[in-house]
Amino acid sequence: MARALLAARAGKTPLTSYPGAVPQTMAAAYAIQDHAIRLDGRPVGGWKVGRIADDLADRYGDNRLTGPIFSEEIREESSGAAPAMPVFVPGFAAAEAEVLLRLGAVGDVDYDAVSIRDCIEEVRAGIEIASSPFAEINQHGPAVTASDYGNNKGLVLGPPIAAWRDVDLIRMPVAMFIEGAKVGEATMETMLDGPFGAAAFLVRTLHRRGVSIAPGTWVSSGAITGVHEVTPGQTVEALFDGKIRVGCLIESL
């Protein structure tokens, strides 16, 4: 299954069905994901965190999932120019406004949403690009989503959020725009225990999987305004606190 998912991504080949037996547990999903990462061979520069629907959390034993973000797919605005972010067509493609946390040294301890802050070196505004050759990736449960890199296809690094330790980050307003039209608005109060809880979840999950966390690793902490489907040629922009902007152009692979 890992080979089939990886081949579909590498060949830009659409999948009309899941390539094998659908994983029924998160452990099975992460086994596929881990094998795909090994076969892929590219360095991982970050991890996305996504939410598992409340009605599925008990069944899957957690309320979040994670997937790798490869270093070569982490891009930053340069000289005011928004980067082009490729997506699979046909397939699934979406953009999400997210707070990005850069980890420093992470110890082998059981962090929570408070203690994990000591490991965070920087916080930025950002956009996660979610895309997969399997158009129905989000329709078959979180284990399917996690097995295919957590449905990730890149990350846009926006400006730093200054003095993030002192501001009320959780209540910061965030808005998302596609082609200049507002498609969502919310605060991080909707994100379970917020972006710091997402980072603590990630560290716990990677420790259980035996995955090391290098200093400088980015955490894309979860969709704030929703999962907004996009198509090539569209411009996407997220606005944090009414003044911090990050954007990108969606293009076809």
Side-chain angles (χ1 to χ4, degrees):
M1 285 181 281
R3 290 182 182 278
L5 291 167
L6 187 57
R9 283 179 171 256
K12 306 166 192 172
T13 306
L15 294 172
T16 57
S17 61
Y18 190 77
V22 171
Q24 298 298 314
T25 66
M26 297 310 295
Y30 290 137
I32 297 169
Q33 184 189 114
D34 287 341
H35 193 55
I37 293 171
R38 288 192 293 270
L39 292 172
D40 191 306
R42 291 178 294 168
V44 174
W47 296 85
K48 64 84 58 75
V49 176
R51 184 168 182 171
I52 294 176
D54 292 342
D55 60 337
L56 295 175
D58 287 343
R59 173 182 170 186
Y60 287 94
D62 220 325
N63 54 15
R64 286 182 168 106
L65 61 84
T66 187
I69 308 173
F70 294 99
S71 297
E72 67 179 33
E73 295 179 340
I74 299 176
R75 299 174 184 174
E76 189 168 4
E77 292 182 313
S78 177
S79 302
M85 301 300 290
V87 297
F88 293 102
V89 179
F92 179 86
E96 305 169 12
E98 308 210 4
V99 163
L100 314 180
L101 316 174
R102 185 165 62 87
L103 297 173
V106 175
D108 189 16
V109 299
D110 188 16
Y111 293 101
D112 59 21
V114 175
S115 59
I116 194 66
R117 295 176 187 230
D118 293 335
C119 301
I120 296 169
E121 295 184 336
E122 185 179 23
V123 175
R124 293 198 186 197
I127 295 173
E128 186 209 345
I129 302 300
S131 190
S132 167
F134 184 29
E136 297 182 357
I137 186 169
N138 289 337
Q139 299 177 25
H140 299 273
V144 164
T145 301
S147 71
D148 185 24
Y149 289 163
N151 195 16
N152 178 264
K153 194 63 182 75
L155 191 64
V156 183
L157 300 179
I161 298 176
W164 61 269
R165 294 184 187 275
D166 302 319
V167 300
D168 190 356
L169 189 66
I170 302 299
R171 291 181 174 84
M172 178 179 290
V174 179
M176 189 72 160
F177 301 83
I178 297 177
E179 290 292 288
K182 186 184 292 185
V183 295
E185 189 170 21
T187 69
M188 285 162 261
E189 293 173 285
T190 63
M191 296 172 56
L192 300 172
D193 52 356
F196 303 113
F201 156 83
L202 174 67
V203 171
R204 290 194 302 269
T205 301
L206 295 183
H207 280 167
R208 286 198 300 266
R209 290 162 59 184
V211 178
S212 61
I213 305 170
T217 295
W218 286 100
V219 182
S220 191
S221 61
I224 302 168
T225 66
V227 178
H228 308 289
E229 294 194 29
V230 293
T231 58
Q234 290 183 322
T235 57
V236 176
E237 185 178 66
L239 180 63
F240 290 70
D241 203 24
K243 58 191 176 187
I244 306 171
R245 298 179 182 272
V246 54
C248 64
L249 172 67
I250 304 300
E251 66 176 9
S252 177
L253 276 164

